[in-house]
Amino acid sequence: MRISKFFMTMITALMVIAVFPWLARAAGSDANADLTSIHQGAGALSPAFSPSVTEYWVKMRSSEQGFCTSAIPADSGAKMAYSMNGSAWITLPENTSTGYIATNRGENKFQFKVTSADSSTIKTYTIHVYFPSTNDVDLSDLRISGTTLSPPFAPSTTSYTASTVPYATSSVSLTGVLDDPAATFVVNGTLGSDGTPFGPIPLNVGSNTITVRTTSYDGTANKTYTITVMRAEPGTNANLSALSVSGNTLSPPFEPQLIGYVLADVGYATREMTVTPTAADSAATVQLQVNDGGFTTVSSGLPSQPFALNVGGNRIQVKVVAEDGMTTNTYTMTVKRKNNNASLSGLDVAPGTLNEPFAQDRPAYTMAGVPYATSSLTVTPRLSDPNATVYVRANGGSFMLAASGSPATLPLTVGSNTLEIKVLAEDPSEEKIYTLAVTRLKNSDASLSGLTVSPGYLDFSSQVTDYSLTVSRTVPSLTVKPVLPDSNPAAKIQVRVNGGSYVPVQSGTDSPALPLISGVQNVIEVLVTAQDGTTRVYSIRVSQAGTPVLTKLVMDGMKVRLTFSEPLQSVADVTYFSVTNMSRSAALSVTDLVYTPGAAEAGFTAIGPLQPGDDLEFRIQAGAVSSLSGETNAAVSLKVVYGDPIQQMQRRLADLDTDHDGIGIREVLAYLNSPYGHNDLNGDGQFTREDVAIVLKQVGAKFVSPQQS
């Protein structure tokens, strides 16, 4: 039961939904006086039909028998009637033709009157009907594509001049509209179609004449329209009016007459750019070439397609081809894309070598420890990209600019050192740092450069470690002054006497007084400890005696100074002293003997032939001097070479210069190969390359040494 009632309710609702709109439409259509269509049998309506548009125009062909039409009302219940040129209204059933209606040649007025079904609404549609004469040869309109006519078109005007068309317009089309669609026309002798563009009509550069000849439908009349069209000469302007590039500026600023430009360098990250060229003449063609590739056409005034930039220099050319196809102009821009290569292609060190083979992508290196004497290391970096920049520094100091392929010197401290080589790519946003770890070993030098005693004298040499010294019984103690080489300030010095405790002594300063024991040989030890712990002991054996002993002889020019181990009480006369020049077999006179009682020194003057390098023999007879205790000296015979080492060397070179043409390599070699060729010349106690250098500096010299007397 419930199901039956449900279906009845649904059926009733559906009937209401279906019937209600129809009832509503039927009720609304009784007042509708619209037409849904008008048949266009006698010609096309203008404008196209629309129920809301009530006024139209129709142009008939002169060949038609008359005007005819039909119409359909929106409401089939509506009534229709028509009238031509004000005639009485004639009823017209729906979708029934009027048949041919008598129509005047020229303008006619046709009307549809629609009366709604309930007679409440009347609507009139008007059609202006033009029915041309059979001998009508006029055009109602004439147009040329891309130009305008002067004077403006009028059917009665037959001669026209068109505005000049550009050279790029190689042809035009012509549209002629006949006053009588039944008439015909030809364009330059070729049949045209009413209202349809005719063409293309080719144009020569310069003046062109186009003729339109019309013929009436009945063939009794003709008419000729003439149009002169001027086609411009091709343009010769191959300039740009503007030129820009993405993200950059031109230098100098753009000027149409300037064809060469330089762009600011771009970073490595700038992989591409675009160019926007604008032609001064819109008819010109613009082409783009990048790095000698092919030219491609680009649109004037618009950005080009992005093009790739090479690392390094790039050349961008914009070629403008004028409208004439022959005149051209090429603008050139150069831009550099910076390299991001911050690598080295090689790294050398001196002295020594890297422990690891060099590789561009290996940033850290080590090398074997270098001796203490190596106070600096030279690094020679070689850049992969010559436009990169390289800097070096040691142990966190300031970076210094270096040159690729050239050695740069970096100081080394004792112990661990970290050397850094920083490469800044041409694009400075990219850098790479190579490191080198090297250890400078501690100093192993435990030598002294000088050692003196007071009182007394030592003929010191840094390589000689054992010395003997005799002093007077009146000397209760000695002091020593040890001196370290300038190159070894880190060594430590200690002294002791007779096996006692070592006490520290600063280089170049006197030690504390070292007491001497009478009647025994005293031993003074100077202990030098190098930075690395290496040691060396210089020993001085000191004896006390009352007998005066000659401890030192110094000859300054012709003055001779004698130093004895004891203070002197008396000195005998000059006959106790003699000097013989062994090189010249000549005895020198001894005069002006001087001494001071209580002093340990005496002196005299030697007179006679003498040159640097001469071998001298000094003889002092026994009893020549006596000490404060009354003891006298033993006989002394001492041989020395006259002059300081440099004077001796120069004199011997001069003696070897037998041809008197100056010192050459022959004399130098002869000197170095002689018994005295290895003399210490620079006072460091040994013969080294520095002494050889002193000898070589004498090359080219000439010596004139007059005999002294």
Side-chain angles (χ1 to χ4, degrees), residues 299-343:
S299 299
S300 174
L302 296 176
S304 67
Q305 289 295 316
F307 53 85
L309 294 177
N310 296 331
V311 172
N314 294 265
R315 185 172 69 163
I316 305 162
Q317 291 185 294
V318 177
K319 182 167 71 173
V320 184
V321 181
E323 190 179 28
D324 65 1
M326 295 182 294
T327 306
T328 63
N329 204 1
T330 301
Y331 295 81
T332 300
M333 296 171 286
T334 57
V335 60
K336 184 177 186 180
R337 179 184 172 200
K338 293 181 179 179
N339 203 329
N340 72 335
N341 187 340
S343 295

mmCIF file of all heavy atoms in Angstrom, residues 299-343:
data_model
loop_
_atom_site.group_PDB
_atom_site.id
_atom_site.type_symbol
_atom_site.label_atom_id
_atom_site.label_comp_id
_atom_site.label_asym_id
_atom_site.label_seq_id
_atom_site.Cartn_x
_atom_site.Cartn_y
_atom_site.Cartn_z
ATOM 1 N N SER A 299 64.506 38.957 -34.010
ATOM 2 C CA SER A 299 63.471 39.973 -34.167
ATOM 3 C C SER A 299 63.967 41.304 -33.637
ATOM 4 O O SER A 299 64.470 41.387 -32.511
ATOM 5 C CB SER A 299 62.203 39.557 -33.431
ATOM 6 O OG SER A 299 61.682 38.354 -33.951
ATOM 7 N N SER A 300 63.792 42.336 -34.453
ATOM 8 C CA SER A 300 64.182 43.673 -34.020
ATOM 9 C C SER A 300 63.357 44.091 -32.815
ATOM 10 O O SER A 300 62.135 43.939 -32.788
ATOM 11 C CB SER A 300 63.978 44.669 -35.166
ATOM 12 O OG SER A 300 64.209 45.996 -34.739
ATOM 13 N N GLY A 301 64.053 44.602 -31.794
ATOM 14 C CA GLY A 301 63.372 45.108 -30.616
ATOM 15 C C GLY A 301 63.014 44.062 -29.588
ATOM 16 O O GLY A 301 62.476 44.397 -28.532
ATOM 17 N N LEU A 302 63.316 42.777 -29.878
ATOM 18 C CA LEU A 302 62.993 41.702 -28.938
ATOM 19 C C LEU A 302 64.274 40.977 -28.526
ATOM 20 O O LEU A 302 65.213 40.881 -29.317
ATOM 21 C CB LEU A 302 62.013 40.709 -29.564
ATOM 22 C CG LEU A 302 60.624 41.254 -29.905
ATOM 23 C CD1 LEU A 302 59.808 40.182 -30.598
ATOM 24 C CD2 LEU A 302 59.907 41.747 -28.650
ATOM 25 N N PRO A 303 64.297 40.433 -27.295
ATOM 26 C CA PRO A 303 65.498 39.686 -26.879
ATOM 27 C C PRO A 303 65.703 38.453 -27.742
ATOM 28 O O PRO A 303 64.741 37.780 -28.130
ATOM 29 C CB PRO A 303 65.191 39.297 -25.428
ATOM 30 C CG PRO A 303 64.106 40.225 -24.988
ATOM 31 C CD PRO A 303 63.297 40.518 -26.215
ATOM 32 N N SER A 304 66.969 38.179 -28.045
ATOM 33 C CA SER A 304 67.302 36.966 -28.785
ATOM 34 C C SER A 304 67.106 35.755 -27.890
ATOM 35 O O SER A 304 66.893 35.872 -26.683
ATOM 36 C CB SER A 304 68.761 37.027 -29.254
ATOM 37 O OG SER A 304 69.632 36.971 -28.117
ATOM 38 N N GLN A 305 67.182 34.588 -28.494
ATOM 39 C CA GLN A 305 67.223 33.372 -27.696
ATOM 40 C C GLN A 305 68.524 33.374 -26.880
ATOM 41 O O GLN A 305 69.545 33.872 -27.336
ATOM 42 C CB GLN A 305 67.182 32.132 -28.601
ATOM 43 C CG GLN A 305 65.844 31.896 -29.269
ATOM 44 C CD GLN A 305 64.749 31.575 -28.265
ATOM 45 O OE1 GLN A 305 64.952 30.797 -27.346
ATOM 46 N NE2 GLN A 305 63.590 32.206 -28.440
ATOM 47 N N PRO A 306 68.518 32.843 -25.642
ATOM 48 C CA PRO A 306 69.769 32.805 -24.862
ATOM 49 C C PRO A 306 70.850 32.027 -25.613
ATOM 50 O O PRO A 306 70.579 30.982 -26.201
ATOM 51 C CB PRO A 306 69.357 32.080 -23.570
ATOM 52 C CG PRO A 306 67.876 32.258 -23.487
ATOM 53 C CD PRO A 306 67.379 32.259 -24.905
ATOM 54 N N PHE A 307 72.058 32.564 -25.614
ATOM 55 C CA PHE A 307 73.175 31.870 -26.243
ATOM 56 C C PHE A 307 74.269 31.633 -25.209
ATOM 57 O O PHE A 307 74.433 32.395 -24.264
ATOM 58 C CB PHE A 307 73.727 32.645 -27.449
ATOM 59 C CG PHE A 307 74.094 34.077 -27.157
ATOM 60 C CD1 PHE A 307 75.335 34.411 -26.631
ATOM 61 C CD2 PHE A 307 73.200 35.098 -27.420
ATOM 62 C CE1 PHE A 307 75.676 35.713 -26.370
ATOM 63 C CE2 PHE A 307 73.524 36.417 -27.157
ATOM 64 C CZ PHE A 307 74.762 36.726 -26.623
ATOM 65 N N ALA A 308 74.994 30.531 -25.395
ATOM 66 C CA ALA A 308 76.012 30.105 -24.425
ATOM 67 C C ALA A 308 77.265 30.964 -24.538
ATOM 68 O O ALA A 308 77.643 31.407 -25.626
ATOM 69 C CB ALA A 308 76.355 28.635 -24.636
ATOM 70 N N LEU A 309 77.910 31.178 -23.397
ATOM 71 C CA LEU A 309 79.188 31.890 -23.340
ATOM 72 C C LEU A 309 80.300 30.900 -23.035
ATOM 73 O O LEU A 309 80.177 30.060 -22.137
ATOM 74 C CB LEU A 309 79.162 32.964 -22.253
ATOM 75 C CG LEU A 309 78.208 34.142 -22.452
ATOM 76 C CD1 LEU A 309 78.256 35.056 -21.242
ATOM 77 C CD2 LEU A 309 78.560 34.920 -23.711
ATOM 78 N N ASN A 310 81.383 30.999 -23.793
ATOM 79 C CA ASN A 310 82.563 30.201 -23.504
ATOM 80 C C ASN A 310 83.315 30.816 -22.330
ATOM 81 O O ASN A 310 83.215 32.021 -22.068
ATOM 82 C CB ASN A 310 83.494 30.149 -24.718
ATOM 83 C CG ASN A 310 82.858 29.446 -25.895
ATOM 84 O OD1 ASN A 310 82.011 28.568 -25.722
ATOM 85 N ND2 ASN A 310 83.243 29.823 -27.095
ATOM 86 N N VAL A 311 84.077 29.990 -21.628
ATOM 87 C CA VAL A 311 84.992 30.530 -20.629
ATOM 88 C C VAL A 311 86.112 31.251 -21.373
ATOM 89 O O VAL A 311 86.692 30.713 -22.309
ATOM 90 C CB VAL A 311 85.564 29.412 -19.743
ATOM 91 C CG1 VAL A 311 86.662 29.951 -18.843
ATOM 92 C CG2 VAL A 311 84.454 28.782 -18.916
ATOM 93 N N GLY A 312 86.354 32.482 -20.986
ATOM 94 C CA GLY A 312 87.335 33.296 -21.698
ATOM 95 C C GLY A 312 86.627 34.316 -22.581
ATOM 96 O O GLY A 312 85.517 34.774 -22.285
ATOM 97 N N GLY A 313 87.275 34.684 -23.688
ATOM 98 C CA GLY A 313 86.731 35.704 -24.557
ATOM 99 C C GLY A 313 85.592 35.190 -25.428
ATOM 100 O O GLY A 313 85.595 34.046 -25.871
ATOM 101 N N ASN A 314 84.609 36.053 -25.656
ATOM 102 C CA ASN A 314 83.492 35.754 -26.540
ATOM 103 C C ASN A 314 83.267 36.951 -27.451
ATOM 104 O O ASN A 314 83.366 38.106 -27.010
ATOM 105 C CB ASN A 314 82.210 35.485 -25.745
ATOM 106 C CG ASN A 314 82.287 34.218 -24.910
ATOM 107 O OD1 ASN A 314 81.850 33.165 -25.335
ATOM 108 N ND2 ASN A 314 82.839 34.330 -23.701
ATOM 109 N N ARG A 315 82.970 36.650 -28.719
ATOM 110 C CA ARG A 315 82.677 37.721 -29.669
ATOM 111 C C ARG A 315 81.236 37.568 -30.148
ATOM 112 O O ARG A 315 80.831 36.505 -30.623
ATOM 113 C CB ARG A 315 83.633 37.685 -30.860
ATOM 114 C CG ARG A 315 83.431 38.874 -31.809
ATOM 115 C CD ARG A 315 84.484 38.939 -32.870
ATOM 116 N NE ARG A 315 84.363 37.856 -33.831
ATOM 117 C CZ ARG A 315 84.935 37.843 -35.023
ATOM 118 N NH1 ARG A 315 85.692 38.866 -35.389
ATOM 119 N NH2 ARG A 315 84.797 36.825 -35.832
ATOM 120 N N ILE A 316 80.479 38.641 -30.002
ATOM 121 C CA ILE A 316 79.068 38.659 -30.388
ATOM 122 C C ILE A 316 78.920 39.691 -31.494
ATOM 123 O O ILE A 316 79.312 40.852 -31.320
ATOM 124 C CB ILE A 316 78.186 39.024 -29.186
ATOM 125 C CG1 ILE A 316 78.468 38.078 -28.016
ATOM 126 C CG2 ILE A 316 76.716 38.992 -29.566
ATOM 127 C CD1 ILE A 316 77.989 38.610 -26.690
ATOM 128 N N GLN A 317 78.374 39.262 -32.633
ATOM 129 C CA GLN A 317 78.211 40.171 -33.762
ATOM 130 C C GLN A 317 76.733 40.280 -34.134
ATOM 131 O O GLN A 317 76.017 39.274 -34.194
ATOM 132 C CB GLN A 317 79.017 39.686 -34.966
ATOM 133 C CG GLN A 317 80.531 39.794 -34.748
ATOM 134 C CD GLN A 317 81.313 39.431 -35.993
ATOM 135 O OE1 GLN A 317 81.292 38.285 -36.415
ATOM 136 N NE2 GLN A 317 81.990 40.397 -36.576
ATOM 137 N N VAL A 318 76.310 41.506 -34.345
ATOM 138 C CA VAL A 318 74.946 41.785 -34.795
ATOM 139 C C VAL A 318 75.057 42.417 -36.185
ATOM 140 O O VAL A 318 75.613 43.513 -36.325
ATOM 141 C CB VAL A 318 74.212 42.723 -33.826
ATOM 142 C CG1 VAL A 318 72.824 43.040 -34.358
ATOM 143 C CG2 VAL A 318 74.121 42.095 -32.440
ATOM 144 N N LYS A 319 74.556 41.688 -37.176
ATOM 145 C CA LYS A 319 74.620 42.184 -38.559
ATOM 146 C C LYS A 319 73.247 42.696 -38.964
ATOM 147 O O LYS A 319 72.243 41.994 -38.815
ATOM 148 C CB LYS A 319 75.091 41.092 -39.512
ATOM 149 C CG LYS A 319 75.208 41.582 -40.959
ATOM 150 C CD LYS A 319 75.961 40.596 -41.828
ATOM 151 C CE LYS A 319 75.178 39.347 -42.094
ATOM 152 N NZ LYS A 319 75.856 38.464 -43.067
ATOM 153 N N VAL A 320 73.223 43.927 -39.473
ATOM 154 C CA VAL A 320 71.986 44.528 -39.960
ATOM 155 C C VAL A 320 72.059 44.561 -41.482
ATOM 156 O O VAL A 320 73.012 45.114 -42.057
ATOM 157 C CB VAL A 320 71.799 45.950 -39.395
ATOM 158 C CG1 VAL A 320 70.450 46.512 -39.831
ATOM 159 C CG2 VAL A 320 71.902 45.935 -37.877
ATOM 160 N N VAL A 321 71.086 43.944 -42.125
ATOM 161 C CA VAL A 321 70.992 43.948 -43.593
ATOM 162 C C VAL A 321 69.856 44.875 -43.964
ATOM 163 O O VAL A 321 68.698 44.654 -43.569
ATOM 164 C CB VAL A 321 70.740 42.530 -44.143
ATOM 165 C CG1 VAL A 321 70.685 42.561 -45.660
ATOM 166 C CG2 VAL A 321 71.820 41.570 -43.665
ATOM 167 N N ALA A 322 70.182 45.947 -44.700
ATOM 168 C CA ALA A 322 69.168 46.922 -45.085
ATOM 169 C C ALA A 322 68.125 46.275 -45.987
ATOM 170 O O ALA A 322 68.293 45.169 -46.505
ATOM 171 C CB ALA A 322 69.821 48.107 -45.779
ATOM 172 N N GLU A 323 67.028 46.976 -46.195
ATOM 173 C CA GLU A 323 65.930 46.459 -47.004
ATOM 174 C C GLU A 323 66.369 46.127 -48.418
ATOM 175 O O GLU A 323 65.827 45.215 -49.042
ATOM 176 C CB GLU A 323 64.784 47.478 -47.017
ATOM 177 C CG GLU A 323 63.501 46.958 -47.618
ATOM 178 C CD GLU A 323 62.402 47.996 -47.576
ATOM 179 O OE1 GLU A 323 62.703 49.202 -47.586
ATOM 180 O OE2 GLU A 323 61.230 47.593 -47.537
ATOM 181 N N ASP A 324 67.397 46.842 -48.914
ATOM 182 C CA ASP A 324 67.843 46.586 -50.285
ATOM 183 C C ASP A 324 68.613 45.277 -50.415
ATOM 184 O O ASP A 324 68.978 44.860 -51.515
ATOM 185 C CB ASP A 324 68.685 47.752 -50.805
ATOM 186 C CG ASP A 324 70.000 47.925 -50.042
ATOM 187 O OD1 ASP A 324 70.278 47.127 -49.117
ATOM 188 O OD2 ASP A 324 70.737 48.879 -50.352
ATOM 189 N N GLY A 325 68.911 44.612 -49.256
ATOM 190 C CA GLY A 325 69.581 43.326 -49.302
ATOM 191 C C GLY A 325 71.065 43.407 -49.563
ATOM 192 O O GLY A 325 71.753 42.381 -49.558
ATOM 193 N N MET A 326 71.588 44.595 -49.796
ATOM 194 C CA MET A 326 73.012 44.748 -50.111
ATOM 195 C C MET A 326 73.755 45.558 -49.060
ATOM 196 O O MET A 326 74.899 45.253 -48.730
ATOM 197 C CB MET A 326 73.175 45.409 -51.485
ATOM 198 C CG MET A 326 72.649 44.565 -52.644
ATOM 199 S SD MET A 326 72.927 45.362 -54.234
ATOM 200 C CE MET A 326 71.858 46.782 -54.099
ATOM 201 N N THR A 327 73.128 46.591 -48.539
ATOM 202 C CA THR A 327 73.781 47.436 -47.546
ATOM 203 C C THR A 327 73.759 46.723 -46.194
ATOM 204 O O THR A 327 72.695 46.304 -45.722
ATOM 205 C CB THR A 327 73.073 48.787 -47.421
ATOM 206 O OG1 THR A 327 72.979 49.375 -48.723
ATOM 207 C CG2 THR A 327 73.829 49.711 -46.485
ATOM 208 N N THR A 328 74.942 46.561 -45.600
ATOM 209 C CA THR A 328 75.034 45.869 -44.310
ATOM 210 C C THR A 328 75.888 46.668 -43.331
ATOM 211 O O THR A 328 76.693 47.518 -43.731
ATOM 212 C CB THR A 328 75.650 44.461 -44.457
ATOM 213 O OG1 THR A 328 76.995 44.584 -44.943
ATOM 214 C CG2 THR A 328 74.832 43.604 -45.398
ATOM 215 N N ASN A 329 75.698 46.382 -42.074
ATOM 216 C CA ASN A 329 76.488 46.989 -41.009
ATOM 217 C C ASN A 329 76.603 45.952 -39.890
ATOM 218 O O ASN A 329 75.601 45.308 -39.534
ATOM 219 C CB ASN A 329 75.812 48.254 -40.487
ATOM 220 C CG ASN A 329 76.804 49.206 -39.847
ATOM 221 O OD1 ASN A 329 77.997 48.940 -39.813
ATOM 222 N ND2 ASN A 329 76.306 50.318 -39.340
ATOM 223 N N THR A 330 77.803 45.748 -39.365
ATOM 224 C CA THR A 330 78.012 44.728 -38.334
ATOM 225 C C THR A 330 78.528 45.374 -37.057
ATOM 226 O O THR A 330 79.556 46.052 -37.061
ATOM 227 C CB THR A 330 79.003 43.653 -38.809
ATOM 228 O OG1 THR A 330 78.489 43.041 -39.995
ATOM 229 C CG2 THR A 330 79.176 42.578 -37.742
ATOM 230 N N TYR A 331 77.803 45.175 -35.985
ATOM 231 C CA TYR A 331 78.191 45.658 -34.660
ATOM 232 C C TYR A 331 78.829 44.492 -33.896
ATOM 233 O O TYR A 331 78.289 43.375 -33.902
ATOM 234 C CB TYR A 331 76.970 46.164 -33.889
ATOM 235 C CG TYR A 331 76.318 47.381 -34.496
ATOM 236 C CD1 TYR A 331 75.432 47.256 -35.571
ATOM 237 C CD2 TYR A 331 76.574 48.655 -34.011
ATOM 238 C CE1 TYR A 331 74.823 48.372 -36.138
ATOM 239 C CE2 TYR A 331 75.973 49.774 -34.561
ATOM 240 C CZ TYR A 331 75.095 49.624 -35.635
ATOM 241 O OH TYR A 331 74.500 50.731 -36.182
ATOM 242 N N THR A 332 79.965 44.766 -33.272
ATOM 243 C CA THR A 332 80.702 43.714 -32.574
ATOM 244 C C THR A 332 80.805 44.041 -31.083
ATOM 245 O O THR A 332 81.161 45.162 -30.711
ATOM 246 C CB THR A 332 82.110 43.545 -33.158
ATOM 247 O OG1 THR A 332 81.999 43.201 -34.544
ATOM 248 C CG2 THR A 332 82.871 42.434 -32.437
ATOM 249 N N MET A 333 80.503 43.046 -30.262
ATOM 250 C CA MET A 333 80.658 43.164 -28.810
ATOM 251 C C MET A 333 81.562 42.031 -28.327
ATOM 252 O O MET A 333 81.449 40.902 -28.822
ATOM 253 C CB MET A 333 79.310 43.067 -28.103
ATOM 254 C CG MET A 333 78.343 44.197 -28.433
ATOM 255 S SD MET A 333 76.685 43.878 -27.759
ATOM 256 C CE MET A 333 76.102 42.623 -28.892
ATOM 257 N N THR A 334 82.434 42.335 -27.394
ATOM 258 C CA THR A 334 83.271 41.301 -26.794
ATOM 259 C C THR A 334 82.988 41.260 -25.302
ATOM 260 O O THR A 334 82.810 42.293 -24.657
ATOM 261 C CB THR A 334 84.772 41.569 -27.027
ATOM 262 O OG1 THR A 334 85.111 42.860 -26.498
ATOM 263 C CG2 THR A 334 85.099 41.524 -28.502
ATOM 264 N N VAL A 335 82.939 40.053 -24.771
ATOM 265 C CA VAL A 335 82.697 39.879 -23.339
ATOM 266 C C VAL A 335 83.523 38.695 -22.867
ATOM 267 O O VAL A 335 83.665 37.702 -23.578
ATOM 268 C CB VAL A 335 81.202 39.662 -23.039
ATOM 269 C CG1 VAL A 335 80.659 38.437 -23.739
ATOM 270 C CG2 VAL A 335 80.963 39.563 -21.530
ATOM 271 N N LYS A 336 84.080 38.842 -21.700
ATOM 272 C CA LYS A 336 84.899 37.782 -21.123
ATOM 273 C C LYS A 336 84.142 37.122 -19.985
ATOM 274 O O LYS A 336 83.677 37.786 -19.059
ATOM 275 C CB LYS A 336 86.217 38.345 -20.603
ATOM 276 C CG LYS A 336 87.166 37.282 -20.060
ATOM 277 C CD LYS A 336 88.476 37.915 -19.635
ATOM 278 C CE LYS A 336 89.497 36.864 -19.233
ATOM 279 N NZ LYS A 336 90.774 37.456 -18.825
ATOM 280 N N ARG A 337 84.036 35.807 -20.074
ATOM 281 C CA ARG A 337 83.474 35.026 -18.973
ATOM 282 C C ARG A 337 84.649 34.501 -18.157
ATOM 283 O O ARG A 337 85.496 33.759 -18.670
ATOM 284 C CB ARG A 337 82.616 33.878 -19.506
ATOM 285 C CG ARG A 337 82.018 33.006 -18.407
ATOM 286 C CD ARG A 337 81.273 31.833 -19.008
ATOM 287 N NE ARG A 337 80.856 30.892 -17.993
ATOM 288 C CZ ARG A 337 80.541 29.621 -18.216
ATOM 289 N NH1 ARG A 337 80.607 29.144 -19.459
ATOM 290 N NH2 ARG A 337 80.173 28.836 -17.237
ATOM 291 N N LYS A 338 84.708 34.917 -16.925
ATOM 292 C CA LYS A 338 85.863 34.592 -16.099
ATOM 293 C C LYS A 338 85.916 33.096 -15.791
ATOM 294 O O LYS A 338 84.898 32.434 -15.649
ATOM 295 C CB LYS A 338 85.826 35.379 -14.791
ATOM 296 C CG LYS A 338 86.003 36.887 -14.980
ATOM 297 C CD LYS A 338 85.975 37.603 -13.653
ATOM 298 C CE LYS A 338 86.179 39.110 -13.825
ATOM 299 N NZ LYS A 338 86.129 39.812 -12.529
ATOM 300 N N ASN A 339 87.172 32.627 -15.689
ATOM 301 C CA ASN A 339 87.408 31.220 -15.390
ATOM 302 C C ASN A 339 87.279 30.987 -13.888
ATOM 303 O O ASN A 339 87.608 31.855 -13.084
ATOM 304 C CB ASN A 339 88.818 30.825 -15.851
ATOM 305 C CG ASN A 339 88.962 29.345 -16.089
ATOM 306 O OD1 ASN A 339 88.304 28.537 -15.438
ATOM 307 N ND2 ASN A 339 89.821 28.966 -17.010
ATOM 308 N N ASN A 340 86.778 29.824 -13.508
ATOM 309 C CA ASN A 340 86.713 29.477 -12.087
ATOM 310 C C ASN A 340 87.783 28.453 -11.715
ATOM 311 O O ASN A 340 87.679 27.781 -10.688
ATOM 312 C CB ASN A 340 85.331 28.937 -11.726
ATOM 313 C CG ASN A 340 85.100 27.544 -12.287
ATOM 314 O OD1 ASN A 340 85.709 27.152 -13.282
ATOM 315 N ND2 ASN A 340 84.199 26.793 -11.671
ATOM 316 N N ASN A 341 88.830 28.354 -12.548
ATOM 317 C CA ASN A 341 89.900 27.381 -12.302
ATOM 318 C C ASN A 341 90.848 27.942 -11.248
ATOM 319 O O ASN A 341 91.600 28.882 -11.490
ATOM 320 C CB ASN A 341 90.655 27.098 -13.604
ATOM 321 C CG ASN A 341 91.658 25.964 -13.449
ATOM 322 O OD1 ASN A 341 92.063 25.624 -12.345
ATOM 323 N ND2 ASN A 341 92.061 25.377 -14.553
ATOM 324 N N ALA A 342 90.769 27.365 -10.053
ATOM 325 C CA ALA A 342 91.650 27.798 -8.956
ATOM 326 C C ALA A 342 92.639 26.701 -8.611
ATOM 327 O O ALA A 342 93.013 26.525 -7.447
ATOM 328 C CB ALA A 342 90.811 28.178 -7.734
ATOM 329 N N SER A 343 93.094 25.964 -9.626
ATOM 330 C CA SER A 343 94.006 24.845 -9.391
ATOM 331 C C SER A 343 95.431 25.209 -9.793
ATOM 332 O O SER A 343 95.660 26.098 -10.610
ATOM 333 C CB SER A 343 93.563 23.612 -10.182
ATOM 334 O OG SER A 343 92.330 23.139 -9.724
#
